[in-house]
Amino acid sequence: MSTSPRVVIIGAGIVGANLADELTSRGWNQVTVVDQGPLPLTGGSTSHAPGLVYQTGPSKTMTQFATYTVEKFLELDDDGDRCFNQVGGLEIATTPERLADLHRKQGWATSWGVPGEVIGPDECAKLHPLLDADKVLGGFHTPTDGLAKAARAVVALARRAVSRGARFRGAVTVTGINHSNGRVTGVETDHGEIPADIVVSCAGFWGQAIGEMVGMTVPLLPMAHQYAKTAPLPELAGRNDERTEANLPILRHQDRDLYYREHVDRLGIGTYAHRPIPVRLSDLPQDGETSERAMPSMLEFTEEDFAPSWEHSKRLLPALETAEIETGFNGVFSFTPDGGPLVGESPDVQGFWIAEAVWVTHSAGVARSVAQLLVDGRSEIELHGCDVHRFDEIETTPDYVEETSSRNFVEIYDVKHPLQPKFSPRDLRVSPFHARQKELGAVFLEAHGWERPHWFEANAPLVKDLPMEWQPPSRDSWSAMYHSPVAAVEAWKTRTAVALYDMTSLKRLEVSGPGALAFLDRMTTNKVDKSVGSVTYTLMLDEAGGVRSDLTVARLGEQLFQIGANGNIDHEYLRRNLPDDGSVTVRDITGGTCCIGAWGPLARDLVQPLTDADLSHEGLKFFRCKQIRIAGIPVTAMRVSYVGELGWELYTSAEYGQRLWDVLFEAGRDLGVVAAGRAAFNSLRLEKGYRAWGADMTTEHDPYEAGVGFAVRMNKGDFVGRDALAEIDPDAVERRLRCLTVDDGRSVVLGAEPVFVDEEPAGYVTSAAFSHTLGTPIAYAWLPASAGPGTRVEIKYFDRMIAATVAAEPLVDPEMHRIRR
């Protein structure tokens, strides 16, 4: 008798079929896949997907998903008919900005291990003879990209899963998700209940409706996307047959939001150039018909939206000048607020999972990760950018989801800077200091709805006062975007006087109750069983020893702790792992509190006169905290510093925030105090070698590789991930996060660029900045452990190589004298 869990997968499209295959390949044979449409062509997005699989992007995770999709589909066939046609991919540039972006993209490909090269116009035309080479400046060719035959792949995957015990049931409508005592028990359908221990919604753009059945918010927006086919083209006659279907590379003309692929002797054209067209589920056909003209996911073609794209296509591809559009439709698929998939378990009903907003491109990779989560408890590929719990509450509201998802549709092919913020909606979440920051000319960027000052124009007059060694060099146009030399002033003032930083947007959690200490001790790597007033830097690991987050834990009372976390994923993870006896409560206190980082060698001169508390080094040592009053305002002062200078994180209730800012700013005028933003902050933290979780380290890395092994206390007792760490020799890891200094002293890289050792790609940049203290660009990068300090390396930045050197870290104040004054 099988002992595997009973799994019901809702949705028999490319994601559901892949998941059934991945689960059954791992021995889970009680898998039932249901779909409201008939099998195998159910009428969802898979039924009409053009099947383009482009692997390369700025996200390592998404690239890994796509690469696995290629690998898996290459080995998959349906009665001898292949499921993947590796014709390659070609992205062309018709503007200098796009050509530069293609060089940047080639860098990503090298970083993530995808073959690809930037080629000239004539080579582009050789690969795709329909192109007018005179219209093209160059292209990015990736030979391993290609076309997935999605419907055929579904048949092959289902057949394989069924051979291992899975069942596929079409024309079954899900009407509810049954659950009891917080656990899923089954799926209610129009054909009766299907008992289940685990339910996974792979329903695509119907995912919102399925999530609502358990009260789960699924932040996605169904959108219509235009796709058309030409009549037969003489230029394509005889090149392909029905089995081959295509041999030209899939072509993307991103300057006009267009892509193209062959369909035997016709050309398929997809466009994102039209207005966003959100789709309401209530407007879709409900009768389950799936003829080519009546699939629920295939809406009527709106010719007026397509007209501009057709004109641009004729200019790029002269063969289309006398051609006609034969068929077209507006196909429905899913968009999210940040463009990423949605993977995770319901916060309220255990055993109910989702894998939504997943395109064919990433389908096999996402399905494998979900299967690994279910069977093994962790995904080998890092998933924080896909976790459905990554969003804060405001980011899941219908209005926010519609506006941001629509904007993502419009910008899908745009050349986007890594610091580029949302243009709208803005001012959703502001700290109590916001009004004062605007008065100081704050230039705000945005994250999770928070307005975060990047620099302050009020400090611009001080640029001329910078000592020569602090004068920043001019930057190239790309690294100069969303940057200002004012950041040098703010870094200078932090290192030489005192600066105020708004730290309000960082996630703060309160953990309390009689079981709080034991709970945190089990969940984290460092010793938190310390006296009241202690502050501890610690890690949360997964069972394999990967770094799932880093935290600061302040013990405010015997049963009360304040946690500095990385985001909502941490909150959900802690909440999900609370003991069943109710002895621990975890609460998000971010919105009701605020924080000022007061840092610099004159920080004590600023704060001490405003309080009766002893803020001397002996009175409040490094990594200690206590309750004080500043000008009568109740404040929790934590002696910690992410910039490597004397000072405190000063927390208070949001109602006192503006008053606290005013008091500190006024008292600091004679000391030369400035408000400082995140541009200076990021530079200063990198100089000190402080890691940023999600950028510098993730679950793919263990603490010893990431250089945070000091936060692990193996002798403190059991904790999550301890057994895995016990198998690791800290001195024998094969890769390490290394600090780099750029040799020319002026070339600023931004992250994700490939790093070469001995002329071979060996790793990639995680974080980078200009070190104002040292007067040189710096970066952190994952490299082989053998690449120790002194190793000469090269960073590929767009189309040029930048020499750099592995340096010992931290670069600034390695003895920690400044921070312990």
Side-chain angles (χ1 to χ4, degrees), residues 510-513 516 520 532 554-562 627:
E510 180 186 272
V511 178
S512 61
L520 290 173
V532 173
R555 191 169 192 179
L556 304 183
E558 289 294 331
Q559 300 181 6
L560 178 64
F561 298 82
Q562 181 173 308
Q627 310 291 332

Side-chain angles (χ1 to χ4, degrees), residues 686-732:
L686 282 174
E687 295 174 349
K688 285 298 296 177
Y690 295 150
R691 277 63 168 150
W693 186 85
D696 300 317
M697 57 186 180
T698 68
T699 54
E700 289 188 357
H701 314 110
D702 69 53
Y704 309 121
E705 296 172 324
V708 288
F710 63 87
V712 176
R713 295 290 181 269
M714 292 295 289
N715 61 358
K716 75 162 189 168
D718 193 30
F719 57 85
V720 175
R722 185 185 185 282
D723 290 346
L725 292 192
E727 301 297 319
I728 299 173
D729 180 353
D731 297 321

Side-chain angles (χ1 to χ4, degrees), residues 225-226 253-259 270-276 305-306 308-310 312 409-410 412-413:
H225 160 59
Q226 289 200 301
H253 179 23
Q254 293 172 298
D255 286 321
R256 292 300 182 182
D257 299 314
L258 285 159
Y259 64 84
T271 177
Y272 296 96
H274 56 81
R275 62 191 169 89
D305 288 312
F306 189 74
S309 292
W310 181 234
H312 290 305
F409 181 93
V410 171
I412 190 168
Y413 280 167

Side-chain angles (χ1 to χ4, degrees), residues 141-385:
H141 179 227
T142 44
T144 58
D145 289 345
L147 296 166
K149 190 69 174 177
R152 184 180 295 165
V154 165
V155 172
L157 292 164
R159 181 181 292 120
R160 195 157 70 180
V162 168
S163 73
R164 304 184 189 120
R167 294 190 305 157
F168 278 69
R169 297 175 56 185
V172 174
T173 300
V174 173
T175 58
I177 309 296
N178 297 329
H179 50 94
S180 177
N181 298 320
R183 288 204 61 88
V184 72
T185 60
V187 174
E188 198 66 48
T189 78
D190 58 353
H191 287 65
E193 184 189 26
I194 306 173
D197 304 300
I198 295 171
V199 175
V200 187
S201 176
C202 304
F205 55 81
W206 283 284
Q208 276 186 321
I210 300 298
E212 288 172 359
M213 295 178 182
V214 294
M216 183 178 183
T217 299
V218 179
L220 65 78
L221 179 70
M223 299 275 287
H225 160 59
Q226 289 200 301
Y227 193 77
K229 290 182 185 178
T230 67
L233 300 177
E235 291 81 358
L236 297 181
R239 293 179 58 92
N240 310 295
D241 56 31
E242 293 294 336
R243 291 172 64 90
T244 304
E245 194 170 6
N247 61 48
L248 292 178
I250 46 181
L251 176 67
R252 288 204 286 185
H253 179 23
Q254 293 172 298
D255 286 321
R256 292 300 182 182
D257 299 314
L258 285 159
Y259 64 84
Y260 309 89
R261 59 151 295 180
E262 286 177 288
H263 294 277
V264 190
D265 58 354
R266 293 164 169 81
L267 198 66
I269 305 171
T271 177
Y272 296 96
H274 56 81
R275 62 191 169 89
I277 308 176
V279 175
R280 311 300 170 196
L281 296 185
S282 58
D283 295 336
L284 298 178
Q286 303 294 314
D287 56 9
E289 293 181 11
T290 59
S291 70
E292 187 173 344
R293 302 297 299 176
M295 288 185 185
S297 60
M298 294 176 68
L299 306 181
E300 184 177 353
F301 189 58
T302 49
E303 294 184 9
E304 65 277 12
D305 288 312
F306 189 74
S309 292
W310 181 234
E311 292 305 313
H312 290 305
S313 296
K314 288 190 288 187
R315 295 189 189 107
L316 182 71
L317 307 170
L320 301 182
E321 290 179 358
T322 58
E324 294 182 353
I325 295 298
E326 187 173 76
T327 62
F329 62 92
N330 290 5
V332 183
F333 65 151
S334 303
F335 270 76
T336 61
D338 61 3
L342 304 173
V343 173
E345 188 177 13
S346 161
D348 302 311
V349 179
Q350 292 183 43
F352 180 84
W353 289 72
I354 68 168
E356 306 290 18
V358 181
W359 297 1
V360 171
T361 307
H362 309 106
S363 57
V366 170
R368 179 179 63 171
S369 286
V370 173
Q372 290 173 341
L373 287 170
L374 295 176
V375 177
D376 306 322
R378 75 182 297 269
S379 162
E380 66 185 78
I381 292 177
E382 192 278 319
L383 296 179
H384 84 273

Side-chain angles (χ1 to χ4, degrees), residues 573-593:
Y573 176 70
L574 290 172
R575 192 192 68 80
R576 187 179 299 279
N577 284 279
L578 289 173
D580 294 332
D581 61 8
S583 63
V584 185
T585 300
V586 60
R587 189 167 65 98
D588 185 347
I589 61 171
T590 310
T593 56

Side-chain angles (χ1 to χ4, degrees), residues 22 73-74 81 121 170 186 222 266 292 303 354 407 416 421 461 479 487 550 632 756 771-772:
E22 295 287 339
F73 285 10
L74 272 172
D81 291 331
R266 293 164 169 81
E292 187 173 344
E303 294 184 9
I354 68 168
R407 173 56 57 181
K416 297 189 71 172
S479 64
D550 63 341
F756 291 71
S771 169
H772 298 288

Side-chain angles (χ1 to χ4, degrees), residues 431-459:
S431 79
F433 323 129
H434 187 67
R436 298 296 184 254
Q437 291 166 346
K438 291 180 71 174
E439 292 169 0
L440 293 170
V443 175
F444 293 98
L445 301 188
E446 179 272 347
H448 292 287
W450 282 105
E451 296 296 322
R452 305 197 301 182
H454 212 52
W455 68 85
F456 291 85
E457 286 296 330
N459 298 324

